[in-house]
Amino acid sequence: MTELRRSPLHQRHAALGAKFSPFGGWEMPLEYAGGGVLAEHTAVREAVGVFDVSHLGKLRVRGPGAGSFVNASLTNDLDRIKPGRAQYTLCCDPSGGVVDDLIAYLYGDDHVFLVPNAANAAEVARRLAAAAPPSVAVTDEHGEYAVLAVQGPRSAQLLTELGLPSGHEYMSFVTARWEETEIVVCRTGYTGEHGYELVVPSGAAVAVWDRLLAAGEPFGLRPCGLAARDTLRTEMGYPLHGRDLSPEISPVQARLGWAVGWGKPAFWGRDALVAEKEAGPRRLLWGLEALDRGIPRPQMAVLRAEQVVGQVTSGTFSPTLRRGIALALLDTAAGLGEGDEVEVDVRGRRSRMRVVNPPFVTPSVR
C-alpha cells in the first residue's frame, strides 16, 4: 500500500485536534476539534476560514511558446485572458472525458503555472510532458509549495492585516513579498465566497499559517477541513472531479461549456466535444433540493414515476439551507427541467426532491 503524503502543516493540524482522512493520495484534515463541519462551514459563509489545500498539484510550464502549447492542450482559451489572470480549464482525453479540472495562472506566453487536483496531478503532468515540444519544459513542483485558501466575507481584511495584497480582481493574482518570502496571492477559491488562495514555498508554510491564525482571531477565523470545503462547494454547485466530472462525464454533460474554447482550432478532445454539443448530450448535471428530511448521497438512483432517470453524483446536508442537496446526472430523454419533482432512493426509502439550477445559496460577497 502506498504511503500517504503529508502537508508541511501536518503537525499544526494534529495540534489543533484535526481528524484526518485520505484524499487523493494525501492525509489531510477532514475537520477540527471544537466545532466540526457546521462551525467551519458557517465561519466561511459569515466571517473567514482557512483551509490547507497543499494536496493540490503544482505544475510549471515554461519556455518559448509555453502558453500557446497549454492553450492547444487544455479546453479553455488562454487568449481570453492577459498575464496576471487565472482561468478555470479542463484536461480532456480524446473521447471528451475529463482527466482533470484545474486552474491556469498565466504569467506570459513563456510561463504558465497549473494547479490540478491531487489525485490527477501526476497524470496531467505526464500528458503535458509527453506532448510538449522540445522548447517547453513541464516541471512537477507538487512538493515545493503549500497552498492555503483564505475564504469568507472578512478574508480581505485578514490579508490586509498581514500586509498581503487583497484588492485585486476575481481570477487575478499578484506576487508579493512577505517577510522575505515570495507568496502568490490569487483571488480564487472553491467556496463561492470572497476569498484568496496563497501559493507559499513549503518551508514558509508554518510561519504563514501561524500568522493567519493569530491575526484572524478578531475576525472570527476558523481552520477548516475538507468536509466543510465539500459542503461549501456543493452549495455553490461546483463540480468535484471523480464525482461530477470524470473520464466518463464530459464538460458538455457537466454544463461546463463556458470553460471550453469552442472557437479554438485545437485542444485535447475537441472533435468529440464538438460532436456531443451538436448532437446534444444524453444526460445533464442538475441540482436536487430535498423536499423532506432525506439526505442524498453519491450513486443513489434518481426516479420519476418508478423509472430510473439519473444518478446522484454529489450529495450532502446543506448547513446553510438545513436540508439535503445534491448534484445529479439526469437523462435528457426524461425531459426534466427546473421545478420538476423527482425521488431519490435513500437507502431503500423514497425521498422527494425538486430539480433546481445551482447555486443553491447566494454567497454574501463575491
Side-chain angles (χ1 to χ4, degrees):
M1 184 175 180
T2 305
E3 186 176 352
L4 294 174
R5 300 178 70 172
R6 287 181 169 180
S7 158
L9 295 166
H10 185 86
Q11 294 304 321
R12 286 295 193 267
H13 301 317
L16 290 168
K19 177 181 177 182
F20 292 96
S21 177
F23 191 86
W26 290 64
E27 185 178 21
M28 298 300 293
L30 189 66
E31 60 181 83
Y32 294 86
V37 178
L38 181 58
E40 294 166 19
H41 181 108
T42 302
V44 174
R45 287 281 180 247
E46 298 181 358
V48 60
V50 58
F51 302 80
D52 178 7
V53 289
S54 299
H55 61 299
L56 294 174
K58 303 99 185 171
L59 306 176
R60 203 173 296 277
V61 186
R62 300 196 76 158
S68 298
F69 163 65
V70 170
N71 202 28
S73 304
L74 307 183
T75 61
N76 215 334
D77 190 352
L78 274 181
D79 289 342
R80 293 173 178 169
I81 64 172
K82 297 178 180 179
R85 308 288 299 193
Q87 185 182 71
Y88 179 80
T89 189
L90 303 151
C91 174
C92 289
D93 62 24
S95 72
V98 181
V99 176
D100 200 18
D101 61 336
L102 57 163
I103 300 292
Y105 291 56
L106 181 64
Y107 285 85
D109 191 55
D110 62 348
H111 185 187
V112 183
F113 186 69
L114 301 173
V115 182
N117 288 293
N120 305 318
E123 178 60 17
V124 173
R126 186 194 69 77
R127 289 175 183 246
L128 287 168
S135 62
V136 174
V138 179
T139 308
D140 188 339
E141 300 181 353
H142 207 155
E144 295 182 28
Y145 295 94
V147 182
L148 304 179
V150 182
Q151 301 282 300
R154 306 193 74 180
S155 57
Q157 293 172 273
L158 175 54
L159 262 60
T160 299
E161 184 72 18
L162 262 68
L164 289 170
S166 62
H168 43 302
E169 295 179 354
Y170 183 58
M171 296 300 285
S172 68
F173 63 93
V174 175
T175 301
R177 292 202 67 82
W178 181 84
E179 298 187 358
E180 305 307 314
T181 298
E182 191 173 271
I183 298 176
V184 177
V185 182
C186 194
R187 266 279 286 116
T188 49
Y190 199 44
T191 66
E193 297 295 339
H194 189 107
Y196 307 83
E197 291 176 307
L198 314 181
V199 183
V200 182
S202 294
V206 169
V208 175
W209 175 269
D210 288 348
R211 285 289 295 277
L212 280 169
L213 263 61
E217 190 171 349
F219 300 108
L221 177 137
R222 277 186 177 271
C224 301
L226 297 185
R229 194 167 183 258
D230 192 57
T231 55
L232 288 157
R233 71 93 189 169
T234 305
E235 286 187 344
M236 293 305 300
Y238 294 161
L240 175 66
H241 192 274
R243 291 191 189 173
D244 318 296
L245 293 169
S246 74
E248 290 73 45
I249 304 172
S250 74
V252 177
Q253 296 170 26
R255 298 181 183 271
L256 293 176
W258 57 269
V260 177
W262 297 107
K264 293 197 302 182
F267 58 86
W268 296 341
R270 183 184 186 278
D271 291 348
L273 291 175
V274 169
E276 183 180 32
K277 181 186 178 187
E278 290 177 352
R282 63 183 178 85
R283 54 186 185 173
L284 278 175
L285 197 67
W286 284 94
L288 301 178
E289 188 173 287
L291 299 174
D292 54 28
R293 298 180 65 181
I295 301 176
R297 299 295 184 189
Q299 300 184 337
M300 289 180 174
V302 181
L303 303 101
R304 192 184 199 194
E306 302 302 318
Q307 181 181 358
V308 175
V309 294
Q311 186 179 68
V312 172
T313 53
S314 289
T316 190
F317 174 79
S318 164
T320 303
L321 300 177
R322 311 295 296 180
R323 64 172 67 102
I325 59 171
L327 298 177
L329 280 170
L330 303 182
D331 298 339
T332 53
L336 292 164
E338 191 166 12
D340 287 339
E341 190 171 318
V342 294
E343 293 181 315
V344 172
D345 185 345
V346 180
R347 299 183 180 87
R349 185 182 67 83
R350 299 292 179 87
S351 179
R352 294 172 54 232
M353 307 267 169
R354 180 187 297 116
V355 177
V356 300
N357 198 12
F360 297 93
V361 303
T362 303
S364 55
V365 182
R366 185 62 182 191

